[in-house]
Amino acid sequence: MVVAGGTGVSPVRGVVNELAKMDNARDKYVIVGFRSPSDMLFRDDLKVWDEKLNLTLTVDGAPEGYTGNIGLVTKYIADLPLTDPSSAKAVVVGPPPMMKFTIIELQKKGFKDENIIVSHERKMCCGLGKCGHCRVNSTYICLDGPVFNYAEAKYLID
């Protein structure tokens, strides 16, 4: 499963493209959310993902006449028909509040913390471990990450 919001779709685009190539691609869930229809990124990719994967595309708010899904990405997690959430894996990238509440919903579904992958790219500055802006406790996000499983990431609070 991949859950991404806004510009957080960019770093997972390659992952989703690879999932779409798999033989069992229809068994892979992708939930992508944007602020509005005009903010949607990778429109051509979204069409391909919709054909090949189990895609839920949603917007936070939409103009009158919009016929797609409306609501936060977290709204669509509870209804996913997962056969074994305890062994399922999820990649979550987006704004911090979206990531926080997505993780809560995934945990409610039975996902294990070590099977939830998150990105802390937003905390990086120099990318070399020199400036120290990304340091949380003894972890340098730019050197030790920026991708972590949630079992580690939940302690990276700044």
Side-chain angles (χ1 to χ4, degrees), residues 1-157:
M1 170 187 294
V2 175
V3 183
T7 58
V9 175
S10 295
V12 297
R13 182 180 182 210
V15 172
V16 177
N17 283 335
E18 287 303 310
L19 290 175
K21 293 177 187 175
M22 297 175 80
D23 291 336
N24 60 347
R26 283 311 256 173
D27 296 336
K28 309 301 181 212
Y29 296 95
V30 177
I31 303 173
V32 177
F34 296 97
R35 224 177 242 148
S36 71
S38 63
D39 293 318
M40 289 181 187
L41 302 174
F42 310 118
R43 291 174 186 271
D44 291 338
D45 288 339
L46 291 171
K47 290 175 189 171
V48 171
W49 298 348
D50 192 36
E51 292 170 8
K52 301 198 177 229
L53 298 158
N54 197 322
L55 175 71
T56 301
L57 174 62
T58 185
V59 295
D60 298 347
E64 191 172 320
Y66 178 76
T67 58
N69 294 318
I70 298 175
L72 302 176
V73 294
T74 52
K75 173 182 176 180
Y76 299 94
I77 294 171
D79 295 331
L80 293 177
L82 302 175
T83 54
D84 186 11
S86 66
S87 67
K89 296 187 180 354
V91 176
V92 181
V93 182
M98 183 223 89
M99 291 175 56
K100 174 184 177 180
F101 291 105
T102 296
I103 290 166
I104 290 169
E105 291 300 316
L106 291 172
Q107 289 170 326
K108 285 181 190 175
K109 286 289 282 186
F111 277 74
K112 293 181 180 175
D113 287 354
E114 58 269 17
N115 289 344
I116 301 172
I117 307 300
V118 297
S119 174
H120 282 303
E121 282 181 66
R122 68 174 182 81
K123 295 184 180 187
M124 293 186 350
C125 288
C126 74
L128 303 170
K130 300 297 182 195
C131 74
H133 286 99
C134 72
R135 191 170 144 255
V136 180
N137 301 321
S138 63
T139 301
Y140 283 83
I141 303 298
C142 67
L143 298 177
D144 301 320
V147 176
F148 300 90
N149 71 48
Y150 186 65
E152 301 168 309
K154 66 183 168 186
Y155 300 109
L156 298 176
I157 300 170

